[in-house]
DNA sequence: TGTACATCAGTGAACGCGCGTTCACTGATGTAC
DNA sequence: TGTACATCAGTGAACGCGCGTTCACTGATGTAC
C-alpha cells in the first residue's frame, strides 16, 4: 500500500539504470507520506490537507494526485503506516528480550507501545482515537492492526507451553454468547489457549490501549503525575493475572 | 455555562412579564446547542461549523455571535453538556437501584455509561476520543468530568463501610511514586479508601472507558459480536476484583 | 398612562482565507525499431 | 548508435465551495421619568 512501485536495488551496475523514474517515484511517495505525518502532528487527522502536504514537499497541489488519487487514499496510507510503525516498535522491543524471559517480553511489548504513543501522539490518535468522520477504514488496515494483539497472544501461548497459567481464582463461568465469540477468536489465532485465558488476553489489550489513551488524551492529568510508574504497576497486575512470571532482572 | 441567564418561572402572573427577552434568549441558546449537538452527530467535532449551526436554527451566521462569542465557546458548551449528560444518565441509573445492592449499583452505573455512549457516539467521541486539535479544554470541564469517577468511588466507600473489601490476593507492594499520587487522590476524594483499593478504582475507570471506546471505535469489530454480553462479563470481573458483592437478582 | 431614550437581537454584505479536484499543457524520461 | 514515438511527472489556472469573524444597520423590546 505504502509503496506500490516495484523495489529497485539502488546500485546494480550491470543493467544500464533501468528504473530511475520508479526509484524517484518511490522516494517522492515516501516524502509525501513524511510530510503528511508531520502535518498530522500539527493539525490532526481532520485538518490534514493535500494542499498543505504539497506545499511542504515543494510541489504544486495537483501533482500529489500522481501519487495519491485522493485525500482519503493518503489518509489510509498514513493509517497503515502508523499501525505498522507501532507494531514494529513493539515487535522489536519484544525480540530484544531473552526468549525465556516471558514476563520481560510482555513488559517490553506494552512499554514499547506506550513509548511509541507518547512519541507520536497524533499518529496514535489517528489509529486509536475517535474515527475520522466520514472515513471508512479499508480492509488493508486489518492485518497491520492485528500485529500487536497477535504478538501478545504469542507470548501467552509460549507461557502456557512453559507451564505458566493463571491461578484459577478467576473461575467465573463465561456466558454462552461470550464463549461463542471467544471460540471464534481461538480458531483464528490461538488454538491452544483456553477461553478464559483468551478473554483475559482481550481485556489486557483493551486495558493497555485504554490506559495509554487516558494518559495521551489527558484524562488523568491532575490525578496521576508519574504515569510511567503507574503504567508499569498497572501492567504488572495485568501480567500477573495472565499467569506470566515476573520479568527477569534488568 | 450552558444557560447564563437567570431562570424565569414561566407563569408568574403577578409581575408584568419582566423578562420576556431573557426567556427567549435562554430558549434560543438551547436551540443553538441542540443544533450543535446534531451537527456533531453528522460531521464530528472537527467539522462543527458555526455557519451550519446558524443555518439549522434559521439564523444568519453572524447572529450566533450574540449567543456564543466564538466557535470554541460553543464547542466548550457542548463538551460540558456531554459530560453532564453522561454523568446524569449514570447517576440516575445508579439511584434507581436499592441502596443495599452495591453490586447492582455498580453494574447500573457502568451499563448506563455504555448505553449513553452507544446512543450518542459523537458526543462520546468528543469527550473521550482524541482531543480536538488546537482546542484547550477550559477548567469548566473539570467538575462535570469528575462526576462519574466520584460516583464509582462513592459506591466503593459504601461497600467498604459495609465490610465488602477485595480478597487480598493482589497484595503487591505499590511503588513509592504511585503511592504518592494515590495519596493525593485520597485526600481529595476518598479519605477512607486504602491506596491499593484506590489504584483498583482508577484502573476500573480506565477499563470502563477503554472498553466502551474499543466498542464504539470498532477495534473489536470482527472479534466480539455480542458486545453487551462481553461488556457485562468484563465489568463483573472488575467489580469482583474490587470486592463488590454480586448484583441482586433483577 | 405616555413619551424619550437605551439596550439588545438579528440582518446582510463583505473581508480574506483554504480546501479538494479537474484539466489542458509542457518537457523530460523511457522504449522500440 | 540514432531516431520516432509513448509514457509519465509536474505546472498553473480555474471550478465551486464553505469557513470564522467583523461591521454598520434596522427594528423591536425594555426602562426611566
Amino acid at each position: 500500500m505504502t509503496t506500490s512501485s516495484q523495489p529497485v536495488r539502488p546500485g546494480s551496475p550491470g543493467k544500464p539504470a533501468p528504473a530511475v523514474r520508479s526509484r524517484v517515484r518511490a522516494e517522492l511517495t515516501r516524502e509525501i507520506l513524511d510530510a503528511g505525518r508531520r502535518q498530522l502532528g500539527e493539525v490532526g487527522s481532520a485538518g490534514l490537507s493535500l494542499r498543505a502536504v504539497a506545499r511542504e514537499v515543494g510541489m504544486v497541489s495537483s501533482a500529489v494526485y500522481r501519487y495519491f488519487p485522493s485525500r482519503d487514499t493518503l489518509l489510509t496510507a498514513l493509517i497503515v503506516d502508523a499501525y505498522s510503525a507501532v507494531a514494529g516498535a513493539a515487535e522489536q522491543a519484544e525480540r530484544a528480550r531473552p526468549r525465556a524471559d516471558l514476563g520481560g517480553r510482555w513488559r517490553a511489548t506494552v512499554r514499547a507501545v506506550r513509548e511509541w504513543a507518547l512519541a507520536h501522539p497524533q499518529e496514535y490518535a489517528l489509529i486509536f482515537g475517535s474515527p475520522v468522520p466520514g472515513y471508512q477504514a479499508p480492509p488493508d488496515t486489518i492485518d497491520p492492526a492485528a500485529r500487536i494483539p497477535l504478538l501478545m497472544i504469542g507470548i501467552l501461548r509460549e507461557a502456557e507451553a512453559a507451564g505458566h497459567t493463571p491461578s484459577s481464582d478467576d473461575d467465573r463461568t463465561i456466558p454462552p454468547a461470550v464463549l461463542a465469540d471467544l471460540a471464534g477468536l481461538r480458531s483464528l489465532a490461538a488454538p491452544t489457549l483456553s477461553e478464559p485465558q483468551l478473554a483475559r488476553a482481550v481485556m489486557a489489550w483493551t486495558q493497555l490501549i485504554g490506559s495509554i489513551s487516558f494518559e495521551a488524551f489527558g484524562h488523568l492529568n491532575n490525578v496521576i503525575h508519574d504515569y510511567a510508574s503507574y503504567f508499569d504497576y498497572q501492567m504488572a497486575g495485568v501480567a500477573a493475572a495472565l499467569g506470566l512470571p515476573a520479568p527477569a532482572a534488568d
Side-chain angles (χ1 to χ4, degrees), chain A residues 28-241:
Chain A
L28 266 176
T29 306
R30 201 178 37 72
E31 262 189 58
I32 291 173
L33 283 170
D34 288 348
R37 215 170 291 124
R38 250 172 281 134
Q39 265 275 303
L40 218 54
E42 283 162 30
V43 295
S45 61
L48 177 77
S49 114
L50 261 185
R51 292 184 101 111
V53 167
R55 234 175 283 130
E56 196 174 323
V57 179
M59 277 170 160
V60 98
S61 70
S62 52
V64 179
Y65 284 81
R66 298 273 173 219
Y67 296 87
F68 295 94
S70 75
R71 197 198 92 120
D72 274 12
T73 324
L74 176 58
L75 202 56
T76 299
L78 287 170
I79 290 175
V80 170
D81 274 13
Y83 273 125
S84 303
V86 65
E91 286 162 2
Q92 192 189 330
E94 193 268 350
R95 229 180 292 119
R97 307 298 308 176
R99 293 300 82 192
D101 181 12
L102 289 156
R105 286 163 63 188
W106 178 272
R107 189 175 67 180
T109 303
V110 297
R111 279 184 176 172
V113 176
R114 172 171 177 265
E115 273 150 29
W116 185 90
L118 297 182
H120 308 86
Q122 287 289 355
E123 283 175 85
Y124 177 82
L126 182 64
I127 54 182
F128 289 117
S130 352
V132 181
Y135 170 83
Q136 183 63 25
D140 311 51
T141 57
I142 296 181
D143 281 0
R147 279 167 63 187
I148 296 177
L150 287 179
L151 180 63
M152 293 165 70
I153 282 180
I155 297 174
L156 294 182
R157 291 174 64 178
E158 284 188 52
E160 184 199 41
H164 298 288
T165 49
S167 61
S168 58
D169 55 341
D170 177 22
D171 46 4
R172 302 179 288 141
T173 53
I174 302 180
V178 178
L179 257 180
D181 277 334
L182 291 173
L185 175 59
R186 187 165 75 160
S187 71
L188 271 178
T192 64
L193 290 183
S194 70
E195 274 90 355
Q197 181 72 337
L198 262 178
R200 278 185 286 261
V202 176
M203 291 177 197
W205 171 230
T206 310
Q207 215 169 339
L208 169 64
I209 298 302
S211 179
I212 295 174
S213 294
F214 256 35
E215 178 180 14
F217 299 164
H219 286 293
L220 292 176
N221 257 352
N222 291 308
V223 178
I224 306 291
H225 301 91
D226 184 345
Y227 211 92
S229 298
Y230 171 75
F231 178 81
D232 274 355
Y233 174 69
Q234 179 178 18
M235 287 299 132
V238 172

